[in-house]
Amino acid sequence: MQRTSRYALMIASLGLLAAPPVSAFDGIVEKQRFRLENFTTQGGETIPQVDVGWESYGELNDARDNVILITHFFSGTSHAAGRYSDEDALPGYWDAIIGPGKALDTDRFYIIASDTLVNLNAHDPNVVTTGPATLNPETGEPWGMDFPVVGIRDFVEVQRALLESQGIESLYAVMGASMGALQAIEWASVYPERVERLIPVIGSGATDPWLLATLGTWAAPIRLDERWNEGDYYDAEPPLAGLKEALKLVTLNANHWRWANRTFDRAWADETRDPAQELDARYAIEQALDELAAARAEVADANHLLYLVRANQSFIAGGGDTYQEGLARIEAPTLMLYSERDLVFSSEGVRRTAQLIREAGNEVTLEPLRGDRGHLDGVLAIEQASDTLRAFLE
Amino acid sequence: MQRTSRYALMIASLGLLAAPPVSAFDGIVEKQRFRLENFTTQGGETIPQVDVGWESYGELNDARDNVILITHFFSGTSHAAGRYSDEDALPGYWDAIIGPGKALDTDRFYIIASDTLVNLNAHDPNVVTTGPATLNPETGEPWGMDFPVVGIRDFVEVQRALLESQGIESLYAVMGASMGALQAIEWASVYPERVERLIPVIGSGATDPWLLATLGTWAAPIRLDERWNEGDYYDAEPPLAGLKEALKLVTLNANHWRWANRTFDRAWADETRDPAQELDARYAIEQALDELAAARAEVADANHLLYLVRANQSFIAGGGDTYQEGLARIEAPTLMLYSERDLVFSSEGVRRTAQLIREAGNEVTLEPLRGDRGHLDGVLAIEQASDTLRAFLE
């Protein structure tokens, strides 16, 4: 409200004019739903009905050339900025850089974000996604493991349909963190003529062997939980114990030892139960991770996590045999933000990606993010890149 | 044999004299067993009978002042050097530095290593240990979760009894990697008058919060496996699936992304099964980790892993409230070897440990190990420290 002048308010309250907003985005967002019939995956399977949620910040201009697409990370959603109501404790994850006058200026850009297929948070009321937990309209039952295996390219194709439904043919920029970086890179590789600027954050041009293995360990606890039942649990108790352990690994891997060692000490979870005496007692950091994982598991779906693991594992820019090919197709000037402490997408992989895009004749700016959280600094400490982003978007 | 002169061989073969070995250690080792009755843990529980295996390389001199104790890592055993027979494919883990003329010269030192309590490889025929998988002589049944929770200090006390049984009162040096470093530090802190030189490798003076949490994730897959059955599985199928996942995490955490990305590519485990099409298909790196974990699980015990996790979590040098206290009690000149890429014991924690030992008036040499394996370079790439070790042991 600070950005709205008294004069504009008066006019609006009098209802005399359709008041043009002084800011295109006042911070309140509404989840929208996009439906797509008969979506055919890259694997050749057809999904009769795809629904995904989306939200937007700022307004689409008449030329439809002010669009920035934000693509979300593994455990993220389309809620990139703003609040659903004034009571929301926290805004969307990149609110620090999305808003009026911010680096991604909603007074200038139309910023749009959508939930991916097989979104992790399938049971979050603010998420709309399609995946194993969704009813298959042909059977009336949840898809379960009959849902086709999908990949990053499929996420991109759903986004393309969403954008086309709004008459949007090209993107001023596409920006995403982690799995969002994979989608952004895929956009620029597969549709080079539609992407004017590329901003991959904490991600690279292919999932490297380290990450293949790491992602595999995220899937394992779910498969170990007998309640998982080969993915068929929608009529019964879901495999929450396995899902929680999986989410704990996600949290830990996405962080860095500097964060853990600055945030926690060796305190016990319960001061009356010494872990050195009782095997079932825990340390405070374990309890904190357990509680965070339990809260996240409440809205997450175990099968969706397995499908997301695979979508991330199978990523190679452009979908060819080598990512050199895929990256060489990119034409957009590129800004890559990354962390030297990233334990998910290694700094080496990020640098190699930058080099390959550059070798294909492109301009690439590679900028490290500071912070103690490693990979997560690309989400939680993004504000430090505001000036860089602003300059890149000029 | 190269080091044995033709003359000595001739005498030995003639059986005319008890041939004094030209080298005190010819590379063939024999596992010995040490028994201790009524061992009382630091937690105040009594174990009626403790058996642990041990082996030695070189000969104890008459003054009994040439002893180097080697303490083993989490998944290690007392097999630090040599072979049990000429047919053994691999020697003990630190064979590169233990032997005649090597950095830890068996022509000069009597080097002794023992299996810890709750050793991971309880079912390895060359391991002798006491823990949940061992028969409780009072019940005739495996201890299971009735085995008392033990810590690094308990491991040290069993070693002290073993050494005393051989009339050894003081150590020329104590050296160990990872969990072995914790034991070495504990020795020097609790028995400063008995430890003349301290060599902690890839370890530090306390388990930091990051490692508390990481160790917790190693325990989780076992607890998720229904066959674990609250630790009561010795009459049934053991929780091998959970144990394998735990060991996979151990392997991955002890390595570094540089190793994974230089050793593997994005190949599929089975060239006819594309992971992008089949959720049950795997990548080659996943298969390699699965197979390694399966081989290790064959001789490992799931409950022992849980007890080892706790022994490592509860470690704080000297057992007091702060590790400053414990480290300040050390009097031995100290050589610390570590890796800047260590994702288990952070380089920051190692440096802080070195600083605290130094601040208490001690001489500390801190030397980084090169390599792409992170933590594991302390085991697999130790040979590079030969000259440093030799100089330190002069």
Side-chain angles (χ1 to χ4, degrees):
Chain A
M1 293 296 276
Q2 278 181 316
R3 300 186 65 89
T4 309
S5 75
R6 193 179 300 177
Y7 180 68
L9 269 179
M10 185 190 71
I11 290 179
S13 67
L14 288 172
L16 294 177
L17 295 165
V22 172
S23 279
F25 174 54
D26 65 2
I28 296 299
V29 294
E30 198 181 339
K31 185 70 63 171
Q32 313 281 334
R33 176 184 287 260
F34 171 67
R35 174 163 295 178
L36 186 58
E37 311 278 350
N38 294 317
F39 174 74
T40 300
T41 67
Q42 295 296 304
E45 307 274 343
T46 295
I47 305 171
Q49 186 178 306
V50 161
D51 287 285
V52 292
W54 63 277
E55 43 192 79
S56 64
Y57 328 106
E59 299 211 336
L60 184 59
N61 65 12
D62 292 340
R64 296 167 204 255
D65 64 1
N66 70 332
V67 181
I68 299 179
L69 174 68
I70 304 290
T71 48
H72 72 69
F73 49 96
F74 187 94
S75 57
T77 73
S78 57
H79 195 36
R83 286 172 160 82
Y84 299 121
S85 85
D86 287 331
E87 285 76 49
D88 282 7
L90 290 173
Y93 63 91
W94 266 352
D95 194 78
I97 52 165
I98 300 173
K102 295 182 185 173
L104 276 64
D105 189 348
T106 49
D107 289 342
R108 182 175 166 205
F109 297 113
Y110 175 67
I111 298 169
I112 180 167
S114 68
D115 298 321
T116 63
L117 293 168
V118 301
N119 183 287
L120 179 62
N121 308 294
H123 309 296
D124 179 334
N126 282 309
V127 167
V128 182
T129 187
T130 304
T134 316
L135 292 187
N136 176 349
E138 287 173 358
T139 64
E141 301 287 327
W143 280 93
M145 305 305 274
D146 290 335
F147 196 78
V149 181
V150 290
I152 298 297
R153 174 69 186 275
D154 294 310
F155 300 176
V156 164
E157 291 304 317
V158 173
Q159 287 153 358
R160 186 169 68 93
L162 165 65
L163 293 168
E164 287 178 356
S165 76
Q166 298 182 24
I168 297 164
E169 292 292 331
S170 79
L171 296 171
Y172 189 90
V174 55
M175 174 174 181
S178 194
M179 184 178 86
L182 309 187
Q183 296 166 69
I185 289 171
E186 190 72 350
W187 259 102
S189 172
V190 176
Y191 298 110
E193 72 288 358
R194 292 176 184 233
V195 175
E196 292 164 29
R197 286 164 197 83
L198 168 62
I199 314 175
V201 181
I202 53 170
S204 53
T207 298
D208 63 23
W210 171 258
L211 184 50
L212 289 178
T214 300
L215 286 160
T217 67
W218 297 358
I222 290 170
R223 291 174 177 268
L224 277 172
D225 187 332
E226 59 175 328
R227 287 183 167 160
W228 177 60
N229 191 31
E230 302 291 322
D232 183 7
Y233 54 79
Y234 294 106
D235 286 339
E237 288 292 314
L240 271 186
L243 179 56
K244 276 192 277 191
E245 286 306 325
L247 292 169
K248 220 155 77 178
L249 288 172
V250 174
T251 301
L252 205 55
N253 291 164
N255 268 293
H256 188 269
W257 49 260
R258 290 171 65 102
W259 160 77
N261 297 343
R262 279 155 181 66
T263 309
F264 295 92
D265 56 21
R266 290 183 40 85
W268 307 342
D270 176 341
E271 62 179 20
T272 67
R273 298 184 64 195
D274 178 359
Q277 301 281 346
E278 276 185 74
L279 208 71
D280 287 337
R282 291 176 300 178
Y283 289 90
I285 186 172
E286 295 183 283
Q287 182 183 34
L289 290 170
D290 283 341
E291 286 173 0
L292 177 63
R296 295 172 76 177
E298 272 179 28
V299 295
D301 182 80
N303 284 337
H304 282 224
L305 191 145
L306 299 184
Y307 275 73
L308 276 177
V309 158
R310 184 49 51 85
N312 280 271
Q313 286 182 316
S314 63
F315 177 69
I316 180 160
D321 285 338
T322 70
Y323 73 137
Q324 279 83 344
E325 280 173 56
L327 295 175
R329 269 189 242 118
I330 294 172
E331 293 174 12
T334 300
L335 167 63
M336 295 185 77
L337 303 172
Y338 76 106
S339 161
E340 285 289 345
R341 301 198 171 107
D342 196 323
L343 299 176
V344 178
F345 284 97
S346 75
S347 56
E348 188 175 69
V350 171
R351 270 193 288 272
R352 175 91 181 119
T353 299
Q355 185 192 341
L356 289 169
I357 301 178
R358 210 174 269 139
E359 279 172 8
N362 252 304
E363 192 188 318
V364 181
T365 306
L366 184 62
E367 194 156 299
L369 296 164
R370 294 178 311 277
D372 286 333
R373 303 206 64 164
H375 188 63
L376 268 180
D377 281 321
V379 177
L380 302 175
I382 193 68
E383 194 171 2
Q384 64 185 290
S386 291
D387 290 345
T388 306
L389 285 164
R390 213 183 297 269
F392 183 73
L393 293 172
E394 270 315 305
Chain B
M1 292 297 276
Q2 280 181 316
R3 301 185 65 89
T4 308
S5 75
R6 194 179 300 178
Y7 179 69
L9 268 179
M10 185 191 71
I11 291 179
S13 66
L14 288 172
L16 294 178
L17 295 166
V22 172
S23 279
F25 174 54
D26 66 2
I28 297 298
V29 294
E30 199 182 338
K31 185 71 64 171
Q32 313 282 334
R33 176 184 288 258
F34 171 66
R35 174 163 296 176
L36 187 58
E37 313 276 352
N38 294 317
F39 175 73
T40 300
T41 68
Q42 295 296 304
E45 307 274 344
T46 295
I47 305 172
Q49 185 178 307
V50 161
D51 287 285
V52 292
W54 62 277
E55 44 192 81
S56 63
Y57 328 105
E59 300 210 338
L60 184 60
N61 64 12
D62 292 340
R64 295 167 204 257
D65 64 0
N66 70 331
V67 181
I68 299 180
L69 174 68
I70 304 291
T71 47
H72 72 69
F73 49 96
F74 189 94
S75 56
T77 73
S78 56
H79 195 35
R83 288 172 158 82
Y84 298 121
S85 85
D86 287 331
E87 285 76 49
D88 283 7
L90 290 173
Y93 63 91
W94 266 352
D95 193 79
I97 54 166
I98 299 174
K102 295 182 184 173
L104 276 64
D105 189 349
T106 49
D107 289 342
R108 182 175 166 206
F109 296 113
Y110 175 66
I111 298 169
I112 181 167
S114 68
D115 298 321
T116 63
L117 292 169
V118 302
N119 183 287
L120 179 61
N121 308 293
H123 309 296
D124 180 333
N126 282 310
V127 167
V128 182
T129 187
T130 305
T134 316
L135 293 187
N136 177 349
E138 287 173 357
T139 65
E141 300 286 327
W143 280 93
M145 305 305 274
D146 290 335
F147 197 77
V149 181
V150 289
I152 298 296
R153 174 68 186 276
D154 294 309
F155 300 177
V156 164
E157 290 304 317
V158 174
Q159 288 153 0
R160 186 167 69 92
L162 165 65
L163 293 169
E164 288 178 354
S165 76
Q166 299 182 22
I168 297 164
E169 292 293 330
S170 79
L171 295 170
Y172 190 89
V174 56
M175 174 174 182
S178 194
M179 183 178 86
L182 309 187
Q183 296 166 69
I185 289 171
E186 189 72 350
W187 259 103
S189 172
V190 175
Y191 298 109
E193 72 289 357
R194 293 177 183 231
V195 175
E196 292 164 30
R197 288 164 195 82
L198 168 63
I199 313 175
V201 181
I202 52 170
S204 54
T207 298
D208 63 23
W210 170 259
L211 184 50
L212 288 178
T214 300
L215 286 161
T217 67
W218 298 357
I222 290 170
R223 291 174 177 268
L224 278 172
D225 187 333
E226 60 174 328
R227 288 184 167 160
W228 177 60
N229 191 30
E230 302 292 322
D232 184 7
Y233 55 78
Y234 295 105
D235 286 338
E237 287 293 315
L240 270 186
L243 179 56
K244 277 192 278 191
E245 285 307 325
L247 292 170
K248 219 156 76 178
L249 288 172
V250 175
T251 301
L252 205 56
N253 291 164
N255 269 292
H256 188 268
W257 49 259
R258 289 171 66 101
W259 160 77
N261 296 343
R262 279 154 181 68
T263 310
F264 294 92
D265 56 20
R266 290 182 39 85
W268 307 344
D270 175 342
E271 62 178 20
T272 67
R273 297 183 65 194
D274 179 359
Q277 300 281 346
E278 277 184 74
L279 209 71
D280 286 337
R282 293 175 298 178
Y283 289 90
I285 186 172
E286 294 182 284
Q287 183 183 33
L289 290 171
D290 283 341
E291 286 174 1
L292 177 63
R296 295 173 75 177
E298 273 180 29
V299 296
D301 182 80
N303 284 337
H304 282 224
L305 192 145
L306 300 184
Y307 275 74
L308 276 177
V309 159
R310 182 50 49 87
N312 281 271
Q313 285 181 318
S314 63
F315 177 68
I316 179 160
D321 285 338
T322 70
Y323 73 137
Q324 280 84 343
E325 281 172 56
L327 295 176
R329 269 189 242 118
I330 294 172
E331 293 174 12
T334 300
L335 168 62
M336 295 186 76
L337 303 172
Y338 76 105
S339 162
E340 285 288 345
R341 301 197 171 108
D342 197 323
L343 299 177
V344 178
F345 284 97
S346 75
S347 55
E348 189 175 69
V350 171
R351 270 192 289 272
R352 176 89 180 120
T353 298
Q355 186 192 340
L356 289 169
I357 301 178
R358 208 174 271 138
E359 279 173 8
N362 253 304
E363 192 188 318
V364 181
T365 307
L366 183 62
E367 193 155 300
L369 296 163
R370 295 178 311 279
D372 285 333
R373 305 206 62 165
H375 188 63
L376 268 181
D377 282 321
V379 177
L380 302 175
I382 194 68
E383 193 171 1
Q384 65 184 289
S386 291
D387 290 344
T388 307
L389 285 164
R390 214 183 297 269
F392 183 73
L393 292 172
E394 270 316 308

